[in-house]
CSV table of all heavy atoms in Angstrom, one decimal:
chain,number,residue,atom,x,y,z
A,281,THR,N,-9.7,-83.9,89.1
A,281,THR,CA,-8.4,-84.6,89.5
A,281,THR,C,-7.2,-84.0,88.8
A,281,THR,O,-6.1,-84.3,89.2
A,281,THR,CB,-8.5,-86.1,89.2
A,281,THR,OG1,-8.8,-86.2,87.8
A,281,THR,CG2,-9.6,-86.7,89.9
A,282,THR,N,-7.4,-83.2,87.8
A,282,THR,CA,-6.3,-82.6,87.0
A,282,THR,C,-5.7,-81.3,87.7
A,282,THR,O,-4.8,-80.8,87.2
A,282,THR,CB,-6.7,-82.3,85.6
A,282,THR,OG1,-7.9,-81.5,85.6
A,282,THR,CG2,-7.1,-83.6,84.8
A,283,LEU,N,-6.4,-80.9,88.8
A,283,LEU,CA,-5.9,-79.6,89.4
A,283,LEU,C,-4.5,-79.8,89.9
A,283,LEU,O,-4.1,-80.9,90.4
A,283,LEU,CB,-6.8,-79.2,90.5
A,283,LEU,CG,-8.2,-78.6,90.1
A,283,LEU,CD1,-9.0,-78.3,91.4
A,283,LEU,CD2,-8.0,-77.4,89.2
A,284,ASP,N,-3.7,-78.7,89.9
A,284,ASP,CA,-2.3,-78.7,90.4
A,284,ASP,C,-2.5,-78.4,91.9
A,284,ASP,O,-2.5,-77.2,92.3
A,284,ASP,CB,-1.5,-77.7,89.7
A,284,ASP,CG,0.0,-77.7,90.2
A,284,ASP,OD1,0.2,-78.3,91.3
A,284,ASP,OD2,0.8,-77.0,89.6
A,285,TRP,N,-2.6,-79.4,92.7
A,285,TRP,CA,-2.9,-79.2,94.2
A,285,TRP,C,-1.8,-78.4,94.9
A,285,TRP,O,-2.0,-77.7,95.8
A,285,TRP,CB,-3.2,-80.5,94.9
A,285,TRP,CG,-4.5,-81.0,94.5
A,285,TRP,CD1,-4.8,-82.0,93.6
A,285,TRP,CD2,-5.8,-80.5,94.9
A,285,TRP,NE1,-6.1,-82.2,93.4
A,285,TRP,CE2,-6.8,-81.3,94.2
A,285,TRP,CE3,-6.2,-79.5,95.8
A,285,TRP,CZ2,-8.1,-81.1,94.4
A,285,TRP,CZ3,-7.5,-79.3,96.0
A,285,TRP,CH2,-8.5,-80.1,95.3
A,286,GLY,N,-0.5,-78.7,94.4
A,286,GLY,CA,0.6,-77.9,95.1
A,286,GLY,C,0.5,-76.5,94.8
A,286,GLY,O,0.6,-75.6,95.8
A,287,ALA,N,0.1,-76.1,93.6
A,287,ALA,CA,0.0,-74.7,93.3
A,287,ALA,C,-1.2,-74.1,94.0
A,287,ALA,O,-1.1,-72.9,94.5
A,287,ALA,CB,-0.3,-74.5,91.8
A,288,ILE,N,-2.3,-74.8,94.2
A,288,ILE,CA,-3.5,-74.3,94.9
A,288,ILE,C,-3.2,-74.1,96.4
A,288,ILE,O,-3.6,-73.2,97.0
A,288,ILE,CB,-4.7,-75.3,94.7
A,288,ILE,CG1,-5.2,-75.1,93.2
A,288,ILE,CG2,-5.8,-75.0,95.7
A,288,ILE,CD1,-6.3,-76.0,92.9
A,289,GLN,N,-2.4,-75.1,96.9
A,289,GLN,CA,-2.0,-74.9,98.3
A,289,GLN,C,-1.1,-73.7,98.5
A,289,GLN,O,-1.2,-73.0,99.5
A,289,GLN,CB,-1.2,-76.2,98.8
A,289,GLN,CG,-0.9,-76.2,100.3
A,289,GLN,CD,-2.1,-76.2,101.1
A,289,GLN,OE1,-3.0,-76.9,100.9
A,289,GLN,NE2,-2.2,-75.2,102.1
A,290,ASP,N,-0.2,-73.4,97.5
A,290,ASP,CA,0.6,-72.2,97.6
A,290,ASP,C,-0.3,-71.0,97.6
A,290,ASP,O,0.0,-70.0,98.3
A,290,ASP,CB,1.6,-72.2,96.4
A,290,ASP,CG,2.7,-73.2,96.6
A,290,ASP,OD1,2.9,-73.8,97.7
A,290,ASP,OD2,3.3,-73.5,95.5
A,291,VAL,N,-1.3,-71.0,96.7
A,291,VAL,CA,-2.2,-69.9,96.7
A,291,VAL,C,-2.9,-69.7,98.0
A,291,VAL,O,-3.0,-68.5,98.5
A,291,VAL,CB,-3.3,-70.1,95.6
A,291,VAL,CG1,-4.4,-69.1,95.7
A,291,VAL,CG2,-2.6,-70.0,94.2
A,292,ALA,N,-3.4,-70.8,98.6
A,292,ALA,CA,-4.1,-70.7,99.9
A,292,ALA,C,-3.2,-70.1,100.9
A,292,ALA,O,-3.6,-69.3,101.8
A,292,ALA,CB,-4.6,-72.0,100.3
A,293,ASN,N,-1.9,-70.6,100.9
A,293,ASN,CA,-0.9,-70.1,101.9
A,293,ASN,C,-0.7,-68.6,101.7
A,293,ASN,O,-0.6,-67.8,102.7
A,293,ASN,CB,0.4,-70.8,101.8
A,293,ASN,CG,0.2,-72.3,102.3
A,293,ASN,OD1,-0.7,-72.6,103.0
A,293,ASN,ND2,1.1,-73.2,101.8
A,294,ARG,N,-0.6,-68.2,100.5
A,294,ARG,CA,-0.3,-66.7,100.2
A,294,ARG,C,-1.5,-65.9,100.7
A,294,ARG,O,-1.3,-64.8,101.3
A,294,ARG,CB,0.0,-66.5,98.7
A,294,ARG,CG,1.3,-67.0,98.3
A,294,ARG,CD,1.7,-66.4,96.9
A,294,ARG,NE,0.8,-66.7,95.9
A,294,ARG,CZ,0.9,-67.8,95.1
A,294,ARG,NH1,1.8,-68.6,95.3
A,294,ARG,NH2,0.0,-67.9,94.1
A,295,VAL,N,-2.7,-66.3,100.4
A,295,VAL,CA,-3.8,-65.6,100.7
A,295,VAL,C,-4.0,-65.5,102.3
A,295,VAL,O,-4.3,-64.5,102.8
A,295,VAL,CB,-5.1,-66.2,100.1
A,295,VAL,CG1,-6.4,-65.5,100.7
A,295,VAL,CG2,-5.0,-65.9,98.6
A,296,SER,N,-3.7,-66.6,102.9
A,296,SER,CA,-3.8,-66.7,104.4
A,296,SER,C,-2.8,-65.7,105.0
A,296,SER,O,-3.1,-65.0,106.0
A,296,SER,CB,-3.5,-68.1,104.9
A,296,SER,OG,-4.5,-69.0,104.4
A,297,LEU,N,-1.6,-65.7,104.4
A,297,LEU,CA,-0.5,-64.8,104.9
A,297,LEU,C,-0.9,-63.3,104.8
A,297,LEU,O,-0.8,-62.5,105.7
A,297,LEU,CB,0.8,-65.1,104.2
A,297,LEU,CG,2.0,-64.1,104.5
A,297,LEU,CD1,2.3,-64.2,106.0
A,297,LEU,CD2,3.1,-64.4,103.6
A,298,VAL,N,-1.5,-63.0,103.6
A,298,VAL,CA,-1.9,-61.6,103.3
A,298,VAL,C,-3.0,-61.2,104.3
A,298,VAL,O,-3.0,-60.1,104.9
A,298,VAL,CB,-2.4,-61.4,101.9
A,298,VAL,CG1,-3.0,-60.1,101.7
A,298,VAL,CG2,-1.2,-61.6,100.9
A,299,ARG,N,-4.0,-62.1,104.5
A,299,ARG,CA,-5.0,-61.8,105.5
A,299,ARG,C,-4.5,-61.6,106.9
A,299,ARG,O,-4.9,-60.7,107.6
A,299,ARG,CB,-6.1,-62.9,105.4
A,299,ARG,CG,-6.9,-62.8,104.1
A,299,ARG,CD,-7.9,-64.0,104.0
A,299,ARG,NE,-8.7,-63.9,102.8
A,299,ARG,CZ,-9.5,-64.9,102.4
A,299,ARG,NH1,-9.6,-66.0,103.1
A,299,ARG,NH2,-10.2,-64.7,101.3
A,300,ALA,N,-3.6,-62.5,107.3
A,300,ALA,CA,-3.0,-62.4,108.6
A,300,ALA,C,-2.2,-61.1,108.8
A,300,ALA,O,-2.3,-60.4,109.8
A,300,ALA,CB,-2.1,-63.6,108.9
A,301,LEU,N,-1.5,-60.7,107.7
A,301,LEU,CA,-0.7,-59.4,107.8
A,301,LEU,C,-1.7,-58.3,107.9
A,301,LEU,O,-1.4,-57.3,108.7
A,301,LEU,CB,0.1,-59.3,106.5
A,301,LEU,CG,1.5,-60.0,106.5
A,301,LEU,CD1,2.1,-59.9,105.1
A,301,LEU,CD2,2.4,-59.5,107.5
A,302,ARG,N,-2.8,-58.3,107.2
A,302,ARG,CA,-3.7,-57.2,107.3
A,302,ARG,C,-4.3,-57.1,108.7
A,302,ARG,O,-4.5,-56.0,109.2
A,302,ARG,CB,-4.8,-57.4,106.2
A,302,ARG,CG,-5.8,-56.2,106.2
A,302,ARG,CD,-6.8,-56.4,105.0
A,302,ARG,NE,-6.1,-56.2,103.8
A,302,ARG,CZ,-5.9,-57.1,102.9
A,302,ARG,NH1,-6.3,-58.4,103.1
A,302,ARG,NH2,-5.2,-56.9,101.7
A,303,GLU,N,-4.6,-58.2,109.3
A,303,GLU,CA,-5.2,-58.2,110.6
A,303,GLU,C,-4.2,-57.6,111.6
A,303,GLU,O,-4.6,-56.8,112.5
A,303,GLU,CB,-5.5,-59.7,111.1
A,303,GLU,CG,-6.8,-60.2,110.3
A,303,GLU,CD,-7.0,-61.7,110.7
A,303,GLU,OE1,-6.2,-62.2,111.5
A,303,GLU,OE2,-7.9,-62.3,110.1
A,304,VAL,N,-2.9,-58.1,111.6
A,304,VAL,CA,-2.0,-57.6,112.6
A,304,VAL,C,-1.6,-56.2,112.3
A,304,VAL,O,-1.3,-55.4,113.2
A,304,VAL,CB,-0.8,-58.5,112.7
A,304,VAL,CG1,-1.2,-59.9,113.2
A,304,VAL,CG2,0.0,-58.6,111.4
A,305,ALA,N,-1.5,-55.8,111.0
A,305,ALA,CA,-1.2,-54.4,110.7
A,305,ALA,C,-2.2,-53.4,111.2
A,305,ALA,O,-1.9,-52.3,111.6
A,305,ALA,CB,-1.0,-54.3,109.2
A,306,GLU,N,-3.4,-53.9,111.3
A,306,GLU,CA,-4.5,-53.0,111.8
A,306,GLU,C,-4.7,-53.1,113.3
A,306,GLU,O,-5.5,-52.4,113.9
A,306,GLU,CB,-5.8,-53.4,111.0
A,306,GLU,CG,-5.8,-53.1,109.5
A,306,GLU,CD,-7.0,-53.6,108.8
A,306,GLU,OE1,-7.8,-54.3,109.4
A,306,GLU,OE2,-7.1,-53.4,107.6
A,307,GLY,N,-4.0,-54.1,113.9
A,307,GLY,CA,-4.1,-54.3,115.3
A,307,GLY,C,-3.1,-53.4,116.1
A,307,GLY,O,-2.4,-52.5,115.6
A,308,GLY,N,-3.1,-53.6,117.4
A,308,GLY,CA,-2.2,-52.8,118.3
A,308,GLY,C,-0.8,-53.5,118.5
A,308,GLY,O,-0.5,-54.5,117.9
A,309,PRO,N,-0.1,-53.0,119.4
A,309,PRO,CA,1.3,-53.6,119.7
A,309,PRO,C,1.2,-55.0,120.1
A,309,PRO,O,2.2,-55.7,120.0
A,309,PRO,CB,1.8,-52.6,120.8
A,309,PRO,CG,1.0,-51.4,120.7
A,309,PRO,CD,-0.3,-51.8,120.2
A,310,ALA,N,0.1,-55.4,120.7
A,310,ALA,CA,0.0,-56.8,121.2
A,310,ALA,C,0.2,-57.8,120.0
A,310,ALA,O,0.5,-59.0,120.3
A,310,ALA,CB,-1.3,-57.1,121.9
A,311,ASP,N,0.0,-57.4,118.8
A,311,ASP,CA,0.1,-58.3,117.7
A,311,ASP,C,1.6,-58.3,117.1
A,311,ASP,O,1.8,-58.9,116.1
A,311,ASP,CB,-0.8,-57.9,116.5
A,311,ASP,CG,-2.2,-58.1,116.9
A,311,ASP,OD1,-2.5,-59.2,117.5
A,311,ASP,OD2,-3.1,-57.3,116.5
A,312,ALA,N,2.5,-57.6,117.8
A,312,ALA,CA,3.8,-57.5,117.2
A,312,ALA,C,4.5,-58.9,117.1
A,312,ALA,O,5.3,-59.1,116.2
A,312,ALA,CB,4.7,-56.6,118.1
A,313,LEU,N,4.3,-59.7,118.1
A,313,LEU,CA,5.0,-61.1,118.1
A,313,LEU,C,4.5,-61.9,116.9
A,313,LEU,O,5.3,-62.5,116.2
A,313,LEU,CB,4.7,-61.8,119.4
A,313,LEU,CG,5.4,-63.2,119.5
A,313,LEU,CD1,6.9,-63.0,119.4
A,313,LEU,CD2,5.0,-63.8,120.9
A,314,ARG,N,3.2,-61.8,116.7
A,314,ARG,CA,2.6,-62.5,115.5
A,314,ARG,C,3.2,-61.9,114.2
A,314,ARG,O,3.5,-62.6,113.3
A,314,ARG,CB,1.1,-62.4,115.5
A,314,ARG,CG,0.4,-63.3,114.5
A,314,ARG,CD,-1.1,-63.1,114.6
A,314,ARG,NE,-1.8,-63.8,113.5
A,314,ARG,CZ,-3.0,-63.5,113.1
A,314,ARG,NH1,-3.7,-62.5,113.8
A,314,ARG,NH2,-3.6,-64.1,112.1
A,315,LEU,N,3.2,-60.6,114.2
A,315,LEU,CA,3.8,-59.9,113.0
A,315,LEU,C,5.2,-60.3,112.7
A,315,LEU,O,5.6,-60.5,111.6
A,315,LEU,CB,3.6,-58.4,113.2
A,315,LEU,CG,4.1,-57.5,112.0
A,315,LEU,CD1,3.3,-57.8,110.8
A,315,LEU,CD2,3.9,-56.0,112.4
A,316,ALA,N,6.0,-60.4,113.8
A,316,ALA,CA,7.4,-60.8,113.7
A,316,ALA,C,7.5,-62.2,113.0
A,316,ALA,O,8.5,-62.4,112.3
A,316,ALA,CB,8.1,-60.8,115.0
A,317,ARG,N,6.6,-63.1,113.3
A,317,ARG,CA,6.6,-64.4,112.7
A,317,ARG,C,6.2,-64.4,111.3
A,317,ARG,O,6.6,-65.2,110.5
A,317,ARG,CB,5.7,-65.4,113.5
A,317,ARG,CG,6.3,-65.7,114.9
A,317,ARG,CD,5.6,-66.9,115.5
A,317,ARG,NE,4.1,-66.7,115.7
A,317,ARG,CZ,3.6,-66.3,116.8
A,317,ARG,NH1,4.4,-66.1,117.9
A,317,ARG,NH2,2.3,-66.1,117.0
A,318,LEU,N,5.3,-63.4,110.9
A,318,LEU,CA,4.8,-63.4,109.5
A,318,LEU,C,5.8,-62.7,108.6
A,318,LEU,O,5.8,-63.1,107.4
A,318,LEU,CB,3.5,-62.7,109.5
A,318,LEU,CG,2.3,-63.3,110.2
A,318,LEU,CD1,1.1,-62.4,110.2
A,318,LEU,CD2,1.9,-64.7,109.5
A,319,LEU,N,6.5,-61.8,109.0
A,319,LEU,CA,7.4,-61.0,108.1
A,319,LEU,C,8.4,-61.8,107.3
A,319,LEU,O,8.6,-61.6,106.1
A,319,LEU,CB,8.1,-59.9,108.9
A,319,LEU,CG,7.2,-58.6,109.2
A,319,LEU,CD1,8.0,-57.7,110.2
A,319,LEU,CD2,6.8,-57.9,107.9
A,320,PRO,N,9.1,-62.8,107.9
A,320,PRO,CA,10.0,-63.6,107.1
A,320,PRO,C,9.3,-64.3,106.0
A,320,PRO,O,9.9,-64.4,104.9
A,320,PRO,CB,10.6,-64.6,108.2
A,320,PRO,CG,10.4,-63.9,109.5
A,320,PRO,CD,9.2,-63.1,109.4
A,321,ALA,N,8.1,-64.8,106.2
A,321,ALA,CA,7.4,-65.5,105.2
A,321,ALA,C,7.0,-64.6,104.1
A,321,ALA,O,7.1,-64.9,102.9
A,321,ALA,CB,6.2,-66.2,105.7
A,322,ALA,N,6.6,-63.3,104.4
A,322,ALA,CA,6.3,-62.3,103.4
A,322,ALA,C,7.5,-61.9,102.6
A,322,ALA,O,7.4,-61.8,101.4
A,322,ALA,CB,5.7,-61.1,104.1
A,323,ARG,N,8.6,-61.8,103.2
A,323,ARG,CA,9.8,-61.4,102.5
A,323,ARG,C,10.3,-62.5,101.6
A,323,ARG,O,10.8,-62.3,100.5
A,323,ARG,CB,11.0,-61.0,103.5
A,323,ARG,CG,10.7,-59.7,104.2
A,323,ARG,CD,11.9,-59.2,104.9
A,323,ARG,NE,11.7,-58.0,105.6
A,323,ARG,CZ,11.6,-56.8,105.1
A,323,ARG,NH1,11.7,-56.6,103.7
A,323,ARG,NH2,11.4,-55.7,105.8
A,324,ALA,N,10.0,-63.8,102.0
A,324,ALA,CA,10.4,-64.9,101.2
A,324,ALA,C,9.5,-65.0,99.9
A,324,ALA,O,10.0,-65.3,98.8
A,324,ALA,CB,10.2,-66.2,102.0
A,325,LEU,N,8.2,-64.6,100.1
A,325,LEU,CA,7.3,-64.6,98.9
A,325,LEU,C,7.8,-63.5,97.9
A,325,LEU,O,7.8,-63.7,96.7
A,325,LEU,CB,5.9,-64.2,99.3
A,325,LEU,CG,5.1,-65.4,99.9
A,325,LEU,CD1,3.7,-64.9,100.3
A,325,LEU,CD2,4.9,-66.5,98.9
A,326,LEU,N,8.2,-62.3,98.5
A,326,LEU,CA,8.7,-61.3,97.6
A,326,LEU,C,9.9,-61.7,96.9
A,326,LEU,O,10.1,-61.5,95.7
A,326,LEU,CB,8.9,-60.0,98.4
A,326,LEU,CG,7.7,-59.2,98.9
A,326,LEU,CD1,8.1,-58.1,99.8
A,326,LEU,CD2,6.9,-58.7,97.7
A,327,ALA,N,10.8,-62.4,97.6
A,327,ALA,CA,12.1,-62.8,97.0
A,327,ALA,C,11.8,-63.9,95.9
A,327,ALA,O,12.5,-63.9,94.9
A,327,ALA,CB,13.0,-63.4,98.0
A,328,ALA,N,10.7,-64.7,96.0
A,328,ALA,CA,10.4,-65.7,95.0
A,328,ALA,C,9.6,-65.2,93.9
A,328,ALA,O,9.2,-65.9,92.9
A,328,ALA,CB,9.7,-66.9,95.7
A,329,GLY,N,9.2,-63.9,93.9
A,329,GLY,CA,8.4,-63.3,92.9
A,329,GLY,C,7.0,-63.6,92.9
A,329,GLY,O,6.3,-63.5,91.9
A,330,ALA,N,6.5,-64.1,94.1
A,330,ALA,CA,5.1,-64.5,94.2
A,330,ALA,C,4.3,-63.7,95.2
A,330,ALA,O,3.4,-64.1,95.8
A,330,ALA,CB,5.0,-66.0,94.6
A,331,GLY,N,4.8,-62.4,95.4
A,331,GLY,CA,4.2,-61.6,96.4
A,331,GLY,C,3.3,-60.6,95.9
A,331,GLY,O,3.1,-59.5,96.5
A,332,SER,N,2.6,-60.9,94.7
A,332,SER,CA,1.7,-59.9,94.2
A,332,SER,C,0.5,-59.5,95.1
A,332,SER,O,0.0,-58.4,95.1
A,332,SER,CB,1.0,-60.4,92.9
A,332,SER,OG,0.3,-61.6,93.1
A,333,GLY,N,0.2,-60.5,96.0
A,333,GLY,CA,-0.9,-60.2,97.0
A,333,GLY,C,-0.4,-59.2,98.1
A,333,GLY,O,-1.2,-58.8,98.9
A,334,LEU,N,0.9,-58.9,98.2
A,334,LEU,CA,1.4,-58.1,99.2
A,334,LEU,C,1.4,-56.6,98.8
A,334,LEU,O,1.9,-55.8,99.6
A,334,LEU,CB,2.8,-58.5,99.6
A,334,LEU,CG,2.9,-60.0,100.2
A,334,LEU,CD1,4.4,-60.4,100.3
A,334,LEU,CD2,2.2,-60.0,101.5
A,335,ASP,N,0.9,-56.3,97.6
A,335,ASP,CA,0.8,-54.9,97.2
A,335,ASP,C,0.1,-54.1,98.2
A,335,ASP,O,-1.0,-54.5,98.6
A,335,ASP,CB,0.2,-54.8,95.8
A,335,ASP,CG,1.0,-55.5,94.7
A,335,ASP,OD1,2.2,-55.8,95.0
A,335,ASP,OD2,0.5,-55.8,93.6
A,336,GLY,N,0.6,-53.0,98.5
A,336,GLY,CA,-0.1,-52.1,99.5
A,336,GLY,C,0.5,-52.3,100.9
A,336,GLY,O,0.1,-51.5,101.8
A,337,PHE,N,1.3,-53.3,101.1
A,337,PHE,CA,1.9,-53.5,102.4
A,337,PHE,C,3.4,-52.9,102.4
A,337,PHE,O,4.1,-53.2,101.5
A,337,PHE,CB,2.0,-54.9,102.8
A,337,PHE,CG,0.7,-55.5,103.2
A,337,PHE,CD1,-0.1,-56.3,102.3
A,337,PHE,CD2,0.1,-55.4,104.5
A,337,PHE,CE1,-1.3,-56.8,102.6
A,337,PHE,CE2,-1.1,-55.9,104.8
A,337,PHE,CZ,-1.8,-56.6,103.9
Side-chain angles (χ1 to χ4, degrees):
T281 57
T282 55
L283 285 180
D284 184 348
W285 288 103
I288 289 179
Q289 186 61 49
D290 290 343
V291 168
N293 290 340
R294 287 197 299 270
V295 171
S296 297
L297 175 61
V298 169
R299 288 175 178 171
L301 279 173
R302 183 173 290 111
E303 289 174 3
V304 297
E306 294 170 355
D311 288 324
L313 183 58
R314 185 181 176 200
L315 182 59
R317 288 196 297 266
L318 293 174
L319 283 173
R323 292 195 181 280
L325 281 180
L326 286 174
S332 59
L334 298 173
D335 294 344
F337 287 99

